[in-house]
Amino acid sequence: EGELSNLSRPGSGHIYFTLKDRDTQVRCAMFRQRNQFLSFNPADGVHVLVRGRIGLYEPRGDYQLIVEHMEPAGDGLLRRAFDELKQRLSDEGLFDPARKKLLPFLPEVIGVITSPTGSVIRDIMHRLNARFPRRVLLWPVAVQGEKAAAEIAAAIAGFNAVPRNFPRPDLIIVARGGGSIEDLMAFNEEVVVRAAAASQIPLVSAVGHETDTTLIDFVSDMRAPTPTAAAELAVPVLADLNAALADFGRRARNCFDKGVSDRKRHLVQLARVLPKSEQLFAVPSQRLDRASERLGQGLSRNLQIHRAR
């Protein structure tokens, strides 16, 4: 009795899977002659009861269970534990969308929690460098195994405890590559979920592939389908920002030029309704001419008067 994991169906029609419980696992094979009589559709996470015999797969030197009969025995212990914990944490409000924080538009420092030796950190760095290079702080942790959950929770709390006068992350990415449900169990642990919920720094979960779902995905501020996608969510594209900035500059210049052109046109229109200069100065000019004539006459008459006196 155990839970199905890593189930595959090649073109031969045979079924290969791992049967496991909390402590042990064994590889199994169920050939087409037997699995065609199954009354249900086997899938990862299904709890089953099997009957078979031990066989040796010689090319690999592995013992395996040759399954002759298989029947469902429930939804699977791990799946049940997952659902129970998910419901309990949901009832506490940890998955409430109102709790989620907005991601910074352009973080100065990005904290990454993942294995230092896997391809995940290389994929994240490659994508960040291609989009908008940022400073990255790596907190190395185990991403599977007994110590993984405690190390991941401690890393989240550790980044939040960094003093603000040090390079404190503006964004945290918790990442790991794909794997079976057992490989991802560390990210379903309550201690990890509560640490992510308590994070004051916006947190992006990028655990597994797009079809994988873990409890940290529900409590994180943003869920990325892959670690590469997490890097894309973290920063904009520098080339796009430069193009947008250049476009804003062009639009600003065009608006300024249009404003000047509109005012110039308005001034020309106002000037058209003004009278001509000849019309404006005709009457004053006439008055000036008459005054000039009278001035000459007045001077002559005044001279005559003085002369007569």
Side-chain angles (χ1 to χ4, degrees):
E1 184 177 354
E3 187 171 302
L4 297 180
S5 178
N6 301 323
L7 188 141
S8 64
R9 296 173 179 269
S12 62
H14 308 320
I15 300 177
Y16 301 99
F17 56 91
T18 301
L19 189 68
K20 63 196 320 177
D21 56 22
R22 290 186 180 273
D23 303 315
T24 58
Q25 63 180 6
V26 61
R27 296 190 180 189
C28 303
M30 191 173 191
F31 299 123
R32 183 176 57 184
Q33 301 93 308
R34 294 291 184 177
N35 65 48
Q36 63 183 340
F37 300 109
L38 288 175
S39 59
F40 71 104
N41 184 29
D44 286 349
V46 176
H47 197 201
V48 297
L49 183 68
V50 302
R51 184 176 66 247
R53 55 185 174 82
I54 297 296
L56 176 65
Y57 182 62
E58 295 179 356
R60 198 168 50 217
D62 288 345
Y63 285 98
Q64 61 183 0
L65 183 64
I66 308 300
V67 177
E68 297 178 349
H69 175 77
M70 179 166 57
E71 61 186 46
D75 294 332
L77 297 176
L78 297 180
R79 177 60 61 180
R80 262 200 314 273
F82 175 91
D83 292 338
E84 290 173 0
L85 180 58
K86 178 183 175 183
Q87 185 61 47
R88 180 158 57 84
L89 296 176
S90 178
D91 293 340
E92 293 183 25
L94 294 188
F95 303 155
D96 188 353
R99 297 183 68 260
K100 298 184 182 298
K101 298 176 286 295
L102 294 177
L103 304 186
F105 174 71
L106 185 58
E108 289 292 333
V109 180
I110 299 175
V112 179
I113 300 173
T114 190
S115 169
T117 58
S119 62
V120 170
I121 185 62
R122 292 195 298 271
D123 292 342
I124 291 176
M125 293 300 299
H126 175 74
R127 182 57 65 182
L128 288 176
N129 290 332
R131 290 173 65 86
F132 202 128
R134 297 282 83 187
R135 185 172 185 178
V136 174
L137 297 180
L138 171 64
W139 195 303
V141 297
V143 292
Q144 68 182 71
E146 295 181 359
K147 299 181 180 179
E151 290 186 5
I152 295 167
I156 296 174
F159 270 141
N160 279 269
V162 172
R164 294 189 178 275
N165 57 335
F166 284 88
R168 189 172 188 264
D170 304 306
L171 178 70
I172 297 175
I173 297 176
V174 181
R176 175 226 138 100
S180 65
I181 186 174
E182 292 78 15
D183 296 335
L184 305 179
M185 278 306 295
F187 300 92
N188 291 322
E189 294 290 342
E190 185 172 357
V191 63
V192 172
V193 178
R194 292 194 180 278
S199 176
Q200 298 300 312
I201 302 174
L203 186 144
V204 176
S205 66
V207 179
H209 298 306
E210 189 167 0
T211 56
D212 297 323
T213 303
T214 56
L215 289 180
I216 195 175
D217 295 333
F218 295 98
V219 76
S220 61
D221 298 301
M222 182 72 71
R223 188 241 178 186
T226 62
T228 301
E232 294 175 354
L233 290 172
V235 294
V237 180
L238 179 58
D240 291 347
L241 293 182
N242 287 332
L245 186 60
D247 183 59
F248 288 147
R250 286 192 297 269
R251 291 167 61 185
R253 289 191 296 272
N254 291 340
C255 289
F256 179 79
D257 294 342
K258 185 176 182 301
V260 172
S261 177
D262 290 344
R263 284 162 177 76
K264 182 178 180 181
R265 185 170 57 254
H266 183 60
L267 182 61
V268 170
Q269 292 172 352
L270 292 176
R272 286 176 182 172
V273 301
L274 291 175
K276 301 297 182 181
S277 59
E278 296 83 0
Q279 297 174 356
L280 286 174
F281 299 113
V283 175
S285 179
Q286 290 178 2
R287 286 201 301 266
L288 180 61
D289 291 341
R290 291 180 60 186
S292 298
E293 294 175 359
R294 290 168 58 193
L295 178 62
Q297 296 172 358
L299 288 173
S300 299
R301 189 167 58 252
N302 188 43
L303 182 60
Q304 291 174 2
I305 292 173
H306 282 76
R307 185 176 295 168
R309 285 179 181 177

